[in-house]
Amino acid sequence: MKLKTLAWTTAATAATAAAGGVATDPQSSWYLGLRKPDWQPPAIAFPVVWTALYADLAVTSAVALDRAAELDRSADSPGPVRKDQRRELRAYRGALAANLVLNASWSWLFWRSRRPWLAAAEAAVLAASSADLVRRTYRLNRAAGVSLAPYAAWCGFATALSTAIARLNHSGR
C-alpha cells in the first residue's frame, strides 16, 4: 500500500467522519426524548465502533485502490483489458466516494433534519453501498475485502436501529 493512497483515503474518511460529526448531537433534547429499542448499544459504543470502522475503511480502500492501479499499469496492451482495468479503478473510486457521501448524509438526515424514517431509508441505501464496496474490495484483494465486511455489517445494524427508532416514534417528533 502506498502512503499517498493511504493519505488520500484517510483524509476522505476523516472528512466524512467530521461532516457527520458536525450534525450529530446525542445530548439534544429531541434525541433524548425519542423512544429507543432495548437492544440499542450504549452511547459509548458508537464513537468507538465508528472510529475503528473508519480506520478500517481508509486502510482497506487504500489497499484496493493500489491493487486496481497496479492491475491497470500491468496490463500489457492498450486494448480492452487495460480499458477494463481503468474502468474498474474509476468505478471503485466512484463507489467509495458515493459511500462516504451516504455515510455523512445519514447524520444530517437523522440529527439535523430530525427525519428518522428518511434516515432509515438512507441507511438502507448506505448498507447496500457498503456491501457493494466490500464486494469490490474483495475482488481486488481478498484479505482487504474480508477486513471491510464488519463495516457493511454495522451499516446493516444501523439500518435496523434507525428503522426501529423511526417505528417507535411514528412521526419522528
Side-chain angles (χ1 to χ4, degrees):
M1 168 179 37
K2 294 181 181 175
L3 186 56
K4 181 178 177 181
T5 309
L6 180 60
W8 182 86
T9 57
T10 298
T13 304
T16 298
V22 165
T24 303
D25 186 5
Q27 297 305 313
S28 71
S29 59
W30 172 78
Y31 179 71
L32 293 173
L34 290 175
R35 293 184 0 216
K36 292 134 192 125
D38 296 340
W39 47 271
Q40 178 171 315
I44 190 65
F46 293 96
V48 170
V49 169
W50 275 114
T51 299
L53 292 174
Y54 282 138
D56 181 43
L57 180 59
V59 171
T60 57
S61 295
V63 168
L65 285 167
D66 281 346
R67 178 64 179 143
E70 178 185 303
L71 289 172
D72 178 44
R73 283 190 304 275
S74 70
D76 293 325
S77 67
V81 171
R82 187 169 179 99
K83 191 174 184 179
D84 287 347
Q85 297 299 339
R86 284 193 176 140
R87 191 175 340 186
E88 186 167 359
L89 179 57
R90 280 193 311 272
Y92 190 92
R93 286 180 182 148
L96 176 59
N99 184 272
L100 294 175
V101 168
L102 287 166
N103 188 301
S105 297
W106 181 90
S107 295
W108 288 88
L109 292 171
F110 185 84
W111 298 102
R112 289 295 169 112
S113 296
R114 297 180 177 181
R115 307 269 314 265
W117 278 114
L118 187 57
E122 197 272 355
V125 176
L126 172 61
S129 170
S130 300
D132 177 62
L133 198 59
V134 169
R135 178 191 63 83
R136 289 173 187 275
T137 303
Y138 184 84
R139 283 182 49 187
L140 292 164
N141 182 295
R142 288 182 178 196
V146 170
S147 295
L148 188 56
Y151 174 65
W154 184 262
C155 290
F157 172 75
T159 300
L161 181 58
S162 295
T163 302
I165 291 171
R167 190 174 293 137
L168 287 169
N169 298 280
H170 305 287
S171 67
R173 293 188 194 194

